[in-house]
Every structure is written in C-alpha cells, then in structure tokens.
Amino acid sequence: MTNDQALDSAVRALLREPAVTRTGGLHRALARVGTTPQRRRRWWPFAVTNTGPRARGVSMASAVKFVVAAVIVALFGGFLLAGVLTAPPGDEMAPATTNDTILPGVTLNVEEVEPGVFRVIDDGERDIAKANNTGIVAGHDGGIWLLRPQHFFRLGSEAHEWPVRKLGVPDFEVAPDGTVWAMSGGHLYSVGRGSDDWTRTKGPAGGFSGQFEGSAFWVTSDGTVWATWEGVVGYLGADGWQPVGERPKRPHSQFHDLFVSDRGDIWAFTGDLEHLVDGAWRTYGSPDGGWSVGKAAGADGTFWGTGRWDFVRFDGTEWTTFAWPDWVPDGRGTTDPLRAARDGSIWVGTPGHRYPGSVCSGVGHFDGMSWSRYLPDLCVEAMDITADGVAWVLASRDDTDDSLPRHVYVITPEAVAATE
Amino acid sequence: MDSDLVTRAQEGDQQSFTALAHDAWGRLYQLALRILRDEDMAEEAAEEALVTIWRKLPSLREPSRFEAWSYRLLVNTCASVARRRGRQRREISGDMGRPPSAPDAFDAVIDRDELERGFRRLSVDQRAVLVLHHYLDMPVETVADVLGVPVGTVKSRVYRALAQMRIALDVDRQPRPTAYREASR
C-alpha cells in the first residue's frame, strides 16, 4: 500500500467512526420553525416593501412573546416544579424495592411519586435514574428495553448490552425471541440474542440497491416483521419480503407510518389514513385541522389518531370523535406518543417543548369514558404499554435540555384503578 | 426523500416539514459532526441548517434535489458556526509543494490522534469535501454539484487537504524544540 493510499484509508476510517446522534438541536429547530416565517419567492419588487416591515414586526412580536413566556415559565414553572420534582421522596426513606410486581423476574429499586406510580432508581445492575435514556420499548419477549446513546439493554437481565449502529437513535422493536429490530435512515437492522453483530436486512427481490430501504416498520406479537417500501406494505417471510398491498402510484404514495394489529389489520399513513382491506387500499381524509403526530392501532384492529382539536377512533366502518381534556394543549403535535392498550384503552403523552405550541402536561389515560392524568408536569419522551397494561414512560422536566435526566416511570394498573 | 413531503413543506405545511426534519436530522448532524469534530458545534450547525432550510425552502426549484441542497446549506452553516466559535483552522507551516515523505515515514501505523489533529487543522471547506467524498462516498462530480463549485476545485481541495494532513502528521512526528512548545500554548 502506498503512502497516499494509507493516508486515504486512515482518513476514511477516521470519518467513519461511529458517533451517537444528539437530538436536542432537532427539537429546538422545530420549535424555532414554529415562529419563523418562510422566505417566499418575491415576484414583484413592490411586494417586498409592503410585506417586509410587517413580516419583521410579526417576527419581533413573536420573539418578545417568547421571551416573556420563557421568563414566566422560568420564574413560576421552576417554582412549582421544585416542590414536585426536586424534593426528596421522603425523609431519609430508602427507595422501595419491588420484585415480580412491576416486571416479572426483575428486581427494581423504585420510589413512589404518586399512588401506584413509580420512578425507577436502578435494576440492581444499572443506574436508571440518572442516565441519558432516549427510548423505551415493551418488547414482545416480555422485557422492558431501554435505548441509550451507546447501546440497548433489557432491564434486569441480559447483562449483555448491544451497541447501536453509527447512524444515531433508531426506532426499535423487540420480537418474542429477543431479536432487536431497528430502523435507521430507512435501513432495517437486526441483532439476535448473544450476538454483537448487526445484520442489515436485504431488500425485496429486484430492488435497486439490494439493501432494504423503507420508511416504517412494525413487529407483531408473533414476531412477524412488517415494513413499507416504495408505496408497498409487506412482511419478511422465509423467502424474503412478501408484498401484501401496493398503493397505486400517485402523489403522496410514500408511507410514513405503519400499524399492524395482531389480527392482521394494516393501517398506514401517507398524509391520509390508508386501510388495507382484502388487498385493496381504502383512503380516508384527515380530521379538521389535520392529523397530528400521535397515532396508534389497538390489538383489536381499531385505529386511533389525534387531530388538532380532538382525537378519533375508527374501527374500519365507524368514526368516533372524542374531545381532549382541558389539560391537553391545543395544537398539532401536542400528543405524542399515543399507545393503545390491549384492554381497548388509550394512553397519550404530551411531548412538551420539542413541538411548537406544546406544553409539558404529563401522561393521560382514556378508558373510553373518562380521563386520568399522571406525572402532570413532565415532558414525555417515549412510552410503551406492556401486554398486562403497565405503562412505561420516559420523561423529563424539559425535553429540549439534554443535560436533564430522563427518568423511567412506571404507571401500574393499580394506579389506574385508583383514579378511575 | 419524499418529494411530495418537500413540496408540502414548501407550501408552509409544518407537519410535513417536521417529518422531513426527523428524517434529515441524523444525516445533517452526523455530517456536521464529521466536519466540525465537536458535538456542541455539530448540534448547533445542524439546528441552524434546519431552520435555514425551512426559511429558504420555497426557493428550492426542484424538490427532488432537497438532499443535496440541504447538504450545501449545512456546509455553509458549519463554516458560520466555526467562525462564530473562533475555532477556525490554525495555519501550519510547511511547503505544500514539496514531494511526499519518504516511504518509511508512513510505514508505521498512522496514529489516530495525530490524524485527528491533522484533520482539525484543515479549513471547513477542505473538511467538507473530504467528508462528502470519503464519508458519504460521493463521486467528485456529485460533491461539486452539492457545493456548487467546479469539479476541478473539488479535486484540488481533496488533494490539498490530504497533502496538508500529510505535512501536519510529519510535523507532529518531529521532536519539537522547547521554544515552539511554549510559543504554541
């Protein structure tokens, strides 16, 4: 190898060193986008002089409002939060230790922050409370999985920790056999138990690059991996990808979200809601104000979606609209994540500052009749529901500040029963 | 990248832009991190780039070119952030036209820290071409298209960047006189 080749290879290796993707800047950028006007093409010079000062005035007013709001939140919000979150959980009281009540077979050191609601301190092996957790998944293997900047791990057992691919924080799901599936940058990877080697999934036969390039994926409770690619929904079978529904080529044909119920109902999003029935897609429009980020599919095949003003349930034939409770702030993107429990109830998280117009308002549970609210001042980063109805929540006091810890909270069915 | 999402975002649809931003963030951040070699600066640059992309999106004539266009804005933002942070490259001494070192000087394994120091001494423009070419595996023609410069300029930046790194590595390997160490603090 010549010197030039050696240097070239060394530079290539340096630049390809894995690095974790921070996401705080993304949330700040999206918050800024909410108050930043786009620079329109100006076809007529007089329009510039007419709209310029006005545009600047609006921008300045928004900036002033933002600063005033920030000061108020800093003064009063911090005051209120201090009593709830920074006070010790009890004078010199050691955190309670639970075993087999929240997570079977796993001993967790927890502290109770509300009746039936716990904050996880550690799992006997790892400090959970102070770590920079970024994702949480209730795996189909019965475990609770956390994603950190460097690795995945399963609470309580599986001392083995899986390193994360270089392309940052992926979406991930866990199959019944413990295989972790992750999508990052449109590519689908998997790593099995006992292995450190991520396998990049091959694409469908005849694909352009040979590698899978898609936009969303889903793992059902029987371990089947579903995904979308180029307007197609299909599953990964023994002989590769098997398409089950291809959307006719037309504008907005790319799927962004995918939900597959345990009984095989397939819902996908292109901007509109798409439902695959007997091999044909049925397309439904959006509620008033447009679809929000939060969407979910129940085990019974029901679709749940959030809009600007309310949220809806659709069972394939009939739409039902529900009003938000007072504490859910108005505006797009103010409820995310949305998760459906097996008993038909629905859980919502409020993401807080990372979406324009949103406010950290905690977690809500809706049983079809009434709402319950938990952890009311926290920003929900991620949430998942186990098969037996326990809500696992990753939340912080400010989801735009990466320096704050993201705690893991557990909302038990006992807490739900006590408040409803 | 979904051109329809880009079109809708161009029309001011923030929800579409949010989807675009989530999709693009990882690439922008990783690119910025490799150019700037600093997590805080990379996050700042990617954030600034996203806001700029939103502001200027209506001026993008071909939605299918969104990705390349976003890379160009990101590289420009990286240069701005580097200037703002006052961490522009330090000029290093050395004759750029001198022949490569003797083969035995590079037979040893190239030390990673030396390499890192050498890379940090490059200008943002030089780093950008190396990152696009070596990290994203873009052909020089594509790099030229992304950066809006002639192909010859890209080739020359790659050549000069590698040559400059070689000099930096050589300088690092030479014992430094006391006076140099003190002066460089």
Side-chain angles (χ1 to χ4, degrees):
Chain A
M1 185 180 285
T2 67
N3 291 336
D4 286 339
Q5 285 174 326
L7 179 60
D8 201 80
S9 300
V11 171
R12 204 172 287 271
L14 176 76
L15 294 176
R16 294 183 177 197
E17 285 178 351
V20 173
T21 300
R22 288 191 188 177
T23 56
L26 168 63
H27 305 141
R28 286 192 295 274
L30 290 175
R32 290 170 62 190
V33 161
T35 57
T36 304
Q38 283 185 317
R39 187 182 292 171
R40 296 276 151 203
R41 285 182 191 165
R42 292 161 175 167
W43 299 105
W44 187 246
F46 295 115
V48 175
T49 55
N50 288 339
T51 59
R54 177 177 167 78
R56 279 196 294 275
V58 170
S59 177
M60 283 298 294
S62 300
V64 169
K65 285 178 188 172
F66 180 80
V67 169
V68 170
V71 169
I72 291 172
V73 168
L75 287 175
F76 297 100
F79 206 66
L80 293 172
L81 284 169
V84 176
L85 294 169
T86 61
D91 292 342
E92 288 82 41
M93 184 181 288
T97 296
T98 72
N99 187 18
D100 286 345
T101 52
I102 298 178
L103 195 59
V106 177
T107 300
L108 296 174
N109 287 310
V110 299
E111 56 185 346
E112 194 166 21
V113 294
E114 295 175 24
V117 180
F118 302 93
R119 177 162 58 195
V120 180
I121 307 299
D122 66 61
D123 64 350
E125 298 178 24
R126 308 170 189 84
D127 188 330
I128 305 298
K130 294 176 183 173
N132 188 22
N133 302 300
T134 56
I136 191 165
V137 161
H140 290 304
D141 62 341
I144 297 300
W145 294 74
L146 285 173
L147 174 62
R148 288 183 176 173
Q150 300 293 341
H151 56 261
F152 295 103
F153 66 91
R154 192 176 192 266
L155 271 188
S157 60
E158 306 278 3
H160 193 80
E161 296 174 342
W162 281 269
V164 182
R165 296 287 307 188
K166 67 175 182 180
L167 285 178
V169 181
D171 293 328
F172 73 108
E173 300 277 353
V174 183
D177 64 358
T179 301
V180 179
W181 290 86
M183 182 173 273
S184 178
H187 301 301
L188 189 59
Y189 304 90
S190 65
V191 62
R193 278 194 184 187
S195 170
D196 278 342
D197 300 324
W198 286 93
T199 303
R200 192 162 156 177
T201 309
K202 290 184 177 177
F208 179 71
S209 65
Q211 303 296 338
F212 182 84
E213 294 179 21
S215 48
F217 82 110
W218 187 272
V219 179
T220 46
S221 61
D222 64 357
T224 305
V225 179
W226 295 78
T228 65
W229 67 92
E230 296 173 354
V232 180
V233 170
Y235 66 90
L236 188 57
D239 298 324
W241 290 101
Q242 308 295 321
V244 298
E246 182 168 3
R247 200 178 187 283
K249 296 293 181 192
R250 58 179 190 249
H252 312 317
S253 64
Q254 185 75 27
F255 292 116
H256 306 304
D257 290 302
L258 175 67
F259 307 93
V260 183
S261 77
D262 286 348
R263 66 175 204 185
D265 303 83
I266 296 175
W267 302 91
F269 253 84
T270 55
D272 292 327
L273 173 63
E274 308 272 352
H275 188 198
L276 186 63
V277 180
D278 298 329
W281 289 102
R282 293 180 183 173
T283 303
Y284 302 93
S286 57
D288 184 25
W291 289 108
S292 181
V293 180
K295 308 174 191 80
D300 60 354
T302 304
F303 172 82
W304 294 82
T306 60
R308 182 179 175 87
W309 307 115
D310 41 41
F311 75 112
V312 297
R313 185 180 68 190
F314 183 52
D315 62 7
T317 54
E318 188 176 349
W319 293 86
T320 309
T321 302
F322 302 94
W324 288 117
D326 294 341
W327 52 268
V328 172
D330 289 338
R332 289 181 181 181
T334 54
T335 50
D336 177 47
L338 189 72
R339 295 284 182 269
R342 286 186 174 273
D343 63 0
S345 64
I346 197 86
W347 290 83
V348 298
T350 54
H353 312 302
R354 70 177 186 265
Y355 288 110
S358 190
V359 177
C360 298
S361 303
V363 175
H365 178 252
F366 183 64
D367 63 3
M369 296 293 289
S370 60
W371 283 92
S372 301
R373 187 183 181 191
Y374 309 93
L375 307 167
D377 300 310
L378 297 187
C379 309
V380 178
E381 307 254 352
M383 178 170 63
D384 211 351
I385 315 298
T386 62
D388 52 358
V390 178
W392 290 80
V393 181
L394 193 61
S396 67
R397 291 168 54 190
D398 182 346
D399 56 358
T400 60
D401 186 346
D402 286 344
S403 66
L404 293 176
R406 294 169 179 139
H407 293 292
V408 173
Y409 296 89
V410 188
I411 305 173
T412 62
E414 290 72 28
V416 175
T419 53
E420 291 180 346
Chain B
M1 186 58 63
D2 185 353
S3 296
D4 297 318
L5 266 186
V6 177
T7 304
R8 277 180 278 167
Q10 283 186 304
E11 293 164 0
D13 182 351
Q14 288 188 12
Q15 198 171 1
S16 296
F17 184 78
T18 298
L20 273 180
H22 276 275
D23 189 45
W25 175 260
R27 289 192 298 275
L28 295 177
Y29 175 85
Q30 292 289 338
L31 210 59
L33 182 61
R34 278 155 179 82
I35 293 171
L36 295 169
R37 318 302 296 173
D38 180 283
E39 291 180 340
D40 290 338
M41 291 169 73
E43 199 167 14
E44 186 181 341
E47 178 187 343
E48 287 294 334
L50 261 190
V51 176
T52 305
I53 288 168
W54 163 254
R55 282 177 49 238
K56 295 187 174 179
L57 203 48
S59 67
L60 176 64
R61 293 185 179 178
E62 297 177 51
S64 60
R65 289 181 45 78
F66 174 83
E67 198 168 327
W69 178 73
S70 65
Y71 288 155
R72 184 189 296 190
L73 293 180
L74 178 79
V75 170
N76 292 341
T77 310
C78 284
S80 305
V81 169
R83 273 197 300 275
R84 222 166 31 229
R85 297 278 190 115
R87 291 189 188 178
Q88 277 187 297
R89 69 182 174 120
R90 278 176 288 171
E91 295 290 345
I92 59 171
S93 59
D95 178 7
M96 297 298 294
R98 74 178 181 177
S101 310
D104 58 350
F106 258 82
D107 279 349
V109 175
I110 299 175
D111 182 84
R112 190 242 174 248
D113 290 338
E114 290 176 354
L115 200 65
E116 177 75 44
R117 280 196 296 275
F119 189 83
R120 284 169 184 259
R121 286 171 174 155
L122 302 178
S123 70
V124 169
D125 283 343
Q126 289 173 324
R127 295 183 200 181
V129 291
L130 285 184
V131 169
L132 293 173
H133 188 48
H134 284 63
Y135 171 61
L136 291 184
D137 274 337
M138 282 185 182
V140 287
E141 291 79 7
T142 311
V143 175
D145 185 40
V146 165
L147 297 179
V149 297
V151 172
T153 303
V154 172
K155 288 180 178 174
S156 121
R157 280 184 190 171
V158 170
Y159 171 78
R160 290 177 67 87
L162 291 175
Q164 199 161 331
M165 283 194 71
R166 178 181 299 285
I167 293 168
L169 288 168
D170 286 346
V171 168
D172 260 350
R173 288 177 176 187
Q174 289 168 4
R176 294 176 182 175
T178 308
Y180 176 84
R181 285 204 300 273
E182 287 175 354
S184 64
R185 278 179 193 158

